[in-house]
Amino acid sequence: MRKPQTVKALEELGRVRLSKNFFMRDFLYSEISQMEGIPNIPDHLDVAISAGKNLCEQVLEPIQDALGRISIRSAFRSSAVNAKGAENKNQYNCAKNESNYAGHIWDIRDSDGYMGATACIIVNSFIEYYEKTADWTALAWWIHDHIDNYRSIEFFYNYAAFNISWSENPERKKSWIFSHVPNPHTGQKGYLTRKGTDNYEGSHKQFYENFVAEVRKVNH
């Protein structure tokens, strides 16, 4: 596919089905694009679609299948959109392009030649639990124990939204979980776990069993 130059062509790109429940159009909205007038369209469609399919099939669909509907907060950014977001000392909270290749910039491979993709999502069934407990770690540990193909996770305050990434590089799978929100068990921000730390391996069921029980009650 060529980069869309018409509304019709962009509509066709939006209709590309990435997985059972997700289409490319779900991931193209950007506030930066809207306000700055920069089209948020991939330059390299085949790479963007392939990376997006892997993110959806290996990471997002398993989460949605188990925990219910997820909402996409932000996802794909074109190089031009991301560069605008990184201007003026990170004016729109975007890392520089080189750091976002194979991240939010789906259509450019990373420096090692691997594809990757990132989306910022909200797990809708988790919102009420999070608002009652402020315990984002329940969801973080559930994902760590159940989703083998995530690369990294980064939590934010509002609704426990988080960036979650997929990488083609097998060495980067399940690399780390980081949060800007204090851990309610320790009072600390930063890394919850990463490869090589003592708490990385094994089951973490004790941290999420109450949340899972609540989800089951709602679903039944």
Side-chain angles (χ1 to χ4, degrees):
M1 297 176 67
R2 295 187 301 170
K3 182 177 180 177
Q5 300 295 324
T6 65
V7 170
K8 182 174 177 56
L10 185 56
E11 286 176 345
E12 290 303 314
L13 173 62
R15 292 189 182 104
V16 172
R17 194 178 189 188
L18 299 179
S19 64
K20 178 176 66 176
N21 290 297
F22 297 106
F23 293 81
M24 191 69 185
R25 192 176 191 274
D26 299 325
F27 301 91
L28 296 180
Y29 181 82
S30 161
E31 285 89 356
I32 300 171
S33 170
Q34 292 290 310
M35 297 305 295
E36 296 287 351
I38 305 170
N40 194 38
I41 303 172
D43 294 305
H44 309 284
L45 298 190
D46 290 344
V47 176
I49 291 169
S50 182
K53 284 183 175 181
N54 279 283
L55 173 68
C56 291
E57 291 172 353
Q58 297 189 42
V59 178
L60 302 187
E61 289 284 4
I63 294 173
Q64 183 159 279
D65 283 347
L67 301 180
R69 185 177 182 274
I70 65 174
S71 297
I72 309 300
R73 177 64 187 86
S74 67
F76 170 81
R77 295 185 200 135
S78 70
S79 295
V81 167
N82 192 84
K84 175 59 70 173
E87 282 182 359
N88 301 321
K89 298 181 180 181
N90 191 20
Q91 62 181 348
Y92 297 138
N93 299 317
C94 297
K96 63 182 181 179
N97 280 19
E98 291 78 8
S99 300
N100 252 328
Y101 292 152
H104 278 293
I105 303 175
W106 297 6
D107 62 328
I108 299 182
R109 297 171 184 268
D110 66 20
S111 59
D112 295 317
Y114 290 102
M115 290 188 301
T118 296
C120 184
I121 69 172
I122 295 167
V123 176
N124 295 4
S125 64
F126 188 65
I127 294 174
E128 184 175 354
Y129 182 86
Y130 174 68
E131 289 179 343
K132 289 190 299 185
T133 66
D135 189 3
W136 57 269
T137 70
L139 181 55
W141 282 126
W142 185 92
I143 294 172
H144 186 72
D145 284 2
H146 293 85
I147 308 300
D148 291 333
N149 292 318
Y150 84 82
R151 179 183 77 193
S152 60
I153 300 172
E154 180 180 7
F155 274 87
F156 306 101
Y157 276 93
N158 292 336
Y159 302 115
F162 58 98
N163 283 342
I164 189 163
S165 302
W166 166 85
S167 176
E168 184 182 31
N169 184 349
E171 297 300 317
R172 299 189 70 184
K173 288 181 179 177
K174 294 184 82 163
S175 295
W176 49 264
I177 301 174
F178 181 93
S179 181
H180 300 277
V181 186
N183 184 329
H185 304 287
T186 66
Q188 301 296 312
K189 300 178 184 180
Y191 287 99
L192 176 66
T193 191
R194 48 185 164 174
K195 283 184 178 179
T197 57
D198 292 340
N199 66 350
Y200 182 86
E201 300 292 348
S203 171
H204 305 87
K205 183 178 180 180
Q206 69 270 25
F207 294 108
Y208 55 79
E209 57 187 355
N210 289 340
F211 160 59
V212 171
E214 289 196 14
V215 171
R216 287 173 178 163
K217 286 181 184 178
V218 170
N219 291 339
H220 294 87

